[in-house]
Amino acid sequence: MEKAGAVLGWDQQTYMPPDAAGSRSAQMVTLATLAYDRFVNDEVGQLLERLSHDVEALPYDSFARSLIRVTRRKYQRERKLSRDLVGKLAEATTLGHHGWLQAREQNRFEVFCPYLERIVDLVVQKAEALGYPECRYDALLDEFEPEMRTSRVEALFSQLKEALVPLVQAIRPQVAQVDDSFLHRHFDEKKQWDFGLAVLQAMGFDFRRGRMDSTVHPFTTAFSPTDVRITTHVVPDNLASCLFSVVHEGGHALYEQGIPLEFERTPLGEAPSFGVHESQSRLWENLVGRSRPFWRHFLPVAQSFFPAELRGVDLEAMYRAVNRVEPSLIRTDADEVTYNLHIFVRFDLERQLVDGKLAVKDLPEAWNALMQDYLGVVPRNPREGVLQDVHWSDGSIGYFPSYTLGNLLAVQFFDQARKECPGLEDEMAAGRFGTLKKWLNERIHALGGKYTPAELVSRVTGTELQAEPYIRYIRSKYGEIYGL
Ligand code: ZN
């Protein structure tokens, strides 16, 4: 039923006509409450208790024992939420999405404000119903990052801030050193789409088990490992926008297509956390797509699609252009270095919202102040500020930290892949990504949701989630590009 809801959600964000929002909301509420009724009842609880004794003797990572462990965790969490609250949240967030779209169209935060007030109120009720070890935000974070604590995120983020804020300040006077103007010529939309498909093909995306469609805000959703939908948007005067959103969503898609079919329709058929999922999209987008080996192969391919537009562009020029750093307003367009600063803004605001320290109506002002603090740029209007992200409109408060955790994990995983697969980058430079895809399939995707994020990271890398490898990577790559 969750997957059926996902089909409706995908349709809502791709092809649904705008006036269908009300009826779609009612359909989503029906599905959400039906799913709740089927799962959260005493019978399922008793069954899970009984089965957890039966599987005790099996190995920890066996299918049966993992299935019972993960399902029980999910059951215990959802049981704390009332049917009434689940229904209200489904309704408020479907309407909220519509309200957000309207507010964006009119570029007025006031239009979204009442919807968001309702959502924050319900999300706070949800956190209280779930309970938490240290602070209210823990309960929300746990939905996206099982067993992660706010205090741990804070510690990692402050380590990152210490390294990234001065780095961005050092780069700021040198921004003009890197020229990316040739990425902003006019690029035919159909050719951009086809170039994106060619890259997706090289990554190993299986078109018999997935497809690509167009949307405002690119995302990936999967109804099964055999049906994975990615979406993208094409901007005529920005070659990087469509390309990197395709590579990013392609990374998510390879994860979903790599989940074993035997896990389908069970709670094991999903990634352990949003951060782990994001690690795959970031790994492909940044560690692969913004690397020299990638462009050694793909620059001539890009030039065959756009011979006039990219004439005379050499490898170094392209490498530097796609890695240009500049503090900017829109998170999804941000470069690797400033990206996390956008996340810090949202993390700070979300905690204040759920702790009742910030009223929803005061969000735009608080948003702008934090943008000034972290990035030194201030939005001129809500569309390029507080209204830019879809997440709050669909109730995903507690989600943003996953992006930065994904960035950290991407580097840890890629370092490990390079260690275990000598010659990996030479293969990439020849346009062969099979070894990397296979490594990711075997070491990460094939495990589905068997392990907690912490267990998975330790299995794959032998260490825990850390900020240091990411900081080392960023300093070395951008130190070289900007001669710091
Ligand atoms: Zn993503």
Side-chain angles (χ1 to χ4, degrees):
M1 244 173 284
E2 277 171 21
K3 297 301 181 190
V7 179
L8 291 184
W10 169 82
D11 175 70
Q12 184 182 4
Q13 290 188 60
T14 49
Y15 297 111
M16 189 188 83
D19 286 358
S23 53
R24 180 55 48 88
S25 157
Q27 294 154 356
M28 299 285 256
V29 172
T30 303
L31 274 180
T33 45
L34 268 176
Y36 178 88
D37 290 342
R38 294 270 311 252
F39 185 53
V40 185
N41 62 56
D42 293 343
E43 224 174 303
V44 172
Q46 286 155 8
L47 189 64
L48 282 169
E49 283 313 307
R50 204 172 67 232
L51 288 171
S52 64
H53 291 296
D54 294 352
V55 297
E56 239 165 34
L58 297 173
Y60 182 80
D61 62 351
S62 65
F63 176 77
R65 193 166 160 196
S66 301
L67 179 64
I68 301 305
R69 179 177 63 245
V70 172
T71 311
R72 224 171 135 211
R73 185 182 190 279
K74 196 173 151 142
Y75 178 83
Q76 283 163 350
R77 184 182 160 90
E78 291 201 16
R79 188 160 177 93
K80 293 180 186 159
L81 304 175
S82 69
R83 184 179 193 274
D84 180 51
L85 184 60
V86 170
K88 282 178 179 162
L89 267 165
E91 186 183 27
T93 53
T94 317
L95 293 174
H97 183 76
H98 184 61
W100 172 73
L101 288 174
Q102 277 185 322
R104 267 175 71 89
E105 210 176 286
Q106 299 174 29
N107 211 356
R108 285 174 57 220
F109 180 73
E110 306 81 76
V111 175
F112 182 45
C113 191
Y115 294 100
L116 186 57
E117 279 170 349
R118 171 80 176 145
I119 289 169
V120 170
D121 179 42
L122 290 170
V123 163
V124 167
Q125 288 181 37
K126 180 166 118 178
E128 287 302 318
L130 290 169
Y132 39 82
E134 290 169 5
C135 64
R136 208 180 254 168
Y137 196 80
D138 284 341
L140 304 175
L141 192 59
D142 188 73
E143 182 176 342
F144 306 99
E145 296 300 323
E147 296 183 6
M148 179 55 80
R149 296 275 174 90
T150 309
S151 53
R152 173 100 174 98
V153 173
E154 260 171 355
L156 288 165
F157 282 14
S158 65
Q159 239 183 310
L160 288 171
K161 281 177 203 171
E162 243 169 74
L164 295 176
V165 174
L167 182 65
V168 172
Q169 278 161 1
I171 292 174
R172 191 185 272 275
Q174 327 248 18
V175 162
Q177 262 196 39
V178 172
D179 173 27
D180 71 344
S181 58
F182 58 83
L183 295 176
H184 295 280
R185 292 174 182 155
H186 182 87
F187 294 92
D188 179 77
E189 294 186 40
K190 171 75 171 68
K191 283 190 194 165
Q192 285 202 53
W193 186 272
D194 291 344
F195 179 43
L197 288 178
V199 175
L200 206 51
Q201 180 105 45
M203 288 169 66
F205 181 87
D206 183 347
F207 286 89
R208 295 203 42 92
R209 291 170 157 219
R211 51 177 287 134
M212 179 162 91
D213 292 272
S214 181
T215 184
V216 183
H217 203 98
F219 66 95
T220 297
T221 186
F223 315 139
S224 147
T226 61
D227 189 352
V228 180
R229 309 294 176 98
I230 75 165
T231 59
T232 187
H233 61 171
V234 184
V235 185
D237 66 352
N238 188 345
L239 182 64
S241 184
C242 173
L243 171 66
F244 288 113
S245 85
V246 169
V247 178
H248 179 100
E249 302 307 334
H252 282 304
L254 292 184
Y255 201 148
E256 293 293 339
Q257 291 185 337
I259 287 177
L261 277 174
E262 54 165 336
F263 293 175
E264 199 185 357
R265 309 196 67 186
T266 78
L268 296 184
E270 48 197 51
S273 78
F274 283 70
V276 172
H277 220 305
E278 193 67 10
S279 76
Q280 301 303 289
S281 55
R282 293 286 160 182
L283 185 150
W284 283 99
E285 179 189 350
N286 293 328
L287 284 300
V288 177
R290 290 189 162 89
S291 72
R292 281 193 181 93
F294 177 89
W295 284 103
R296 205 176 291 281
H297 174 74
F298 274 110
L299 178 60
V301 179
Q303 282 168 327
S304 72
F305 279 92
F306 306 105
E309 296 84 346
L310 295 177
R311 182 169 301 129
V313 174
D314 67 14
L315 176 63
E316 272 317 290
M318 183 56 98
Y319 173 70
R320 289 167 67 83
V322 298
N323 287 297
R324 186 173 195 267
V325 175
E326 186 171 18
S328 63
L329 296 167
I330 306 293
R331 173 184 61 87
T332 52
D333 295 340
D335 57 80
E336 254 183 307
V337 182
T338 58
Y339 188 92
N340 297 298
L341 307 185
H342 290 265
I343 299 304
F344 304 155
V345 170
R346 289 144 178 87
F347 178 59
D348 289 359
L349 292 173
E350 287 189 338
R351 277 178 306 156
Q352 293 178 41
L353 281 175
V354 300
D355 286 340
K357 291 180 182 154
L358 175 68
V360 171
K361 68 172 172 43
D362 298 328
L363 252 182
E365 220 173 297
W367 178 287
N368 293 0
L370 284 174
M371 284 299 288
Q372 174 65 49
D373 283 357
Y374 284 122
L375 287 134
V377 290
V378 180
R380 287 158 302 185
N381 58 60
R383 204 185 289 155
E384 41 177 57
V386 68
L387 284 180
Q388 67 181 268
D389 297 308
V390 67
H391 306 61
W392 292 341
S393 80
D394 62 26
S396 300
I397 296 176
Y399 180 173
F400 282 111
S402 298
Y403 288 109
T404 291
L405 302 182
N407 285 334
L408 305 186
L409 286 175
V411 173
Q412 288 186 267
F413 289 151
F414 194 67
D415 281 351
Q416 193 65 29
R418 267 195 311 201
K419 247 186 254 170
E420 292 179 25
C421 316
L424 189 67
E425 284 169 307
D426 294 336
E427 287 185 32
M428 283 165 47
R432 296 200 311 269
F433 300 93
T435 303
L436 177 61
K437 177 179 176 279
K438 185 163 176 277
W439 187 87
L440 295 168
N441 279 156
E442 288 173 0
R443 302 298 308 273
I444 298 170
H445 310 162
L447 307 178
K450 273 188 182 177
Y451 299 99
T452 66
E455 286 169 344
L456 178 81
V457 176
S458 136
R459 266 183 74 99
V460 176
T461 69
T463 57
E464 54 172 9
L465 169 67
Q466 292 170 340
E468 290 86 355
Y470 180 81
I471 294 171
R472 265 200 305 276
Y473 155 77
I474 289 286
R475 278 196 177 134
S476 130
K477 178 172 177 181
Y478 292 92
E480 187 219 319
I481 292 174
Y482 283 94
L484 301 170

